[in-house]
């Protein structure tokens, strides 16, 4: 997800709720889609290239809607920093994490972002770490322990790189979100999303092409469909819906609504990839969602 200006006061809107559901479902479905794509294409090339095409598409949409793509000079450095963290860190880290993790595991770890936002807001924004926020971290760590500890020490060590990459991606998004609050990015939402995707994904595309040397011939029809999904649905439709929802809903409602993402991710991984959904997975999902709920309330 990309950093966005915090929405002001807004009433409840049925259209806003519908847009929020579309965005959350689209992001959740992307976890099994990306996991499948890794069987045909390397992670950095797949994620980076789809993000760049999505950025171009959003830029065209922004221009068509009369939004400017000009970035004020005083905002360029902060835009580059936030985009590198929030988009670049997330796109690269989660793509690599899926090499070691199941799609459902990555979805659970990725939704811990609000917990890290709550903790990073203390040193950067001066927001006090309440008992609820401290408790949320403890609960989130418990959920992670449940997720990676059920298969014994060997299985846990085998998954450790994936867990670290997933947590690194969540931390990058958390830090980028907090920095956006500290250094607001006053730009039209579609233009902002286009620039963030472009700045964050361009280095990933370059590294992916040089290091992974992807071959287009390796993509099957289903692989091309997966690339199209990531580009058109995850990076374009979902972000458009997300920004539109933020303009129609209270910020707290929008934040809580994104809790649908890991639920959809876990269920979709079970249905699309036939990943086993056992008691440990359900427990980890419930515990992680509880941690996020505590963080949002605190």
């Amino acid at each position: 997800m990309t950093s966005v200006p915090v929405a002001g006061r807004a009433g409840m809107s049925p259209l806003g709720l519908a847009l929020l559901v579309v965005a959350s479902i689209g992001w959740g479905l992307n976890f099994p889609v990306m996991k499948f794509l890794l069987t045909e294409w390397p992670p950095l090339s797949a994620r980076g290239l789809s993000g760049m095409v999505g950025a171009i598409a959003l830029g065209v949409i922004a221009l068509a809607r009369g939004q400017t793509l000009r970035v004020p000079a005083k905002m360029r450095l902060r835009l580059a920093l936030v985009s590198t963290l929030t988009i670049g860190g997330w796109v690269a880290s989660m793509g690599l994490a899926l090499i070691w993790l199941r799609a459902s595991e990555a979805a659970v770890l990725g939704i811990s972002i609000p917990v890290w936002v709550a903790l990073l807001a203390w040193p950067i924004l001066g927001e006090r770490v309440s008992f609820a926020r401290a408790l949320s971290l403890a609960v989130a760590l418990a959920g992670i322990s449940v997720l990676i500890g059920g298969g014994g020490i060997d299985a846990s060590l085998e998954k450790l790189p994936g867990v670290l990459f997933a947590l690194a991606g969540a931390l990058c998004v958390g830090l980028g979100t907090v920095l956006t609050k500290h250094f607001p990015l006053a730009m039209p939402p579609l233009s902002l999303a286009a620039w963030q995707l472009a700045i964050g994904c361009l280095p990933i595309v370059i590294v992916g092409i040089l290091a992974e040397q992807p071959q287009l011939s390796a993509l099957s029809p289903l692989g091309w469909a997966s690339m199209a999904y990531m580009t058109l649905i995850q990076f374009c439709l979902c972000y458009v819906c997300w920004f539109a929802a933020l303009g129609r809903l209270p910020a707290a409602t929008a934040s809580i609504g994104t809790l649908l993402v890991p639920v959809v991710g876990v269920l979709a991984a079970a249905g699309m990839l036939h990943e086993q959904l056992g008691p440990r997975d359900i427990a980890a999902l419930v515990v992680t969602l509880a941690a996020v709920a505590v963080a949002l309330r605190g």
Side-chain angles (χ1 to χ4, degrees), residues 156-182:
S156 299
L157 290 177
E158 183 179 347
K159 292 180 179 180
L160 183 59
V163 172
L164 294 178
F165 274 120
L167 292 179
L171 280 169
C172 283
V173 175
L175 179 57
T177 300
V178 172
L179 290 177
T180 300
K181 294 181 181 180
H182 190 57

Side-chain angles (χ1 to χ4, degrees), residues 204-222:
I204 298 173
V205 171
I206 295 174
V207 173
I209 291 176
L210 294 177
E212 297 173 338
Q213 299 181 347
Q215 301 296 321
L216 292 178
S217 59
L219 287 173
S220 67
L222 192 54

Side-chain angles (χ1 to χ4, degrees), residues 55-81:
I56 294 171
L58 285 177
V60 171
I61 295 173
L63 292 175
R65 292 173 61 90
Q67 295 184 7
T68 179
L69 292 177
R70 187 180 65 85
V71 181
K74 64 179 181 180
M75 288 177 48
R76 290 172 186 171
L77 182 58
R78 70 181 69 169
L79 177 61
L81 175 60

Side-chain angles (χ1 to χ4, degrees), residues 16 21 25 35 39 55 61 69 72 81 165 178 183 194 210 218 232 243 279 287:
V21 170
I25 291 176
K35 182 65 176 180
T39 64
I61 295 173
L69 292 177
L81 175 60
F165 274 120
V178 172
F183 303 112
L210 294 177
L232 300 177
F243 288 127
V287 170

Side-chain angles (χ1 to χ4, degrees), residues 82-127:
V82 169
S83 302
T84 300
L85 287 170
T86 309
I87 300 298
W90 173 259
V91 168
S93 296
M94 291 306 295
L96 294 170
L98 283 167
I99 296 176
W100 289 274
L101 300 178
R102 293 182 290 126
S104 56
E105 294 169 332
V108 171
L109 291 171
I111 204 59
S112 64
I113 291 170
V115 176
W116 311 120
V117 170
L119 292 177
L120 292 169
W122 173 39
I124 297 175
L125 302 178
E127 296 182 3

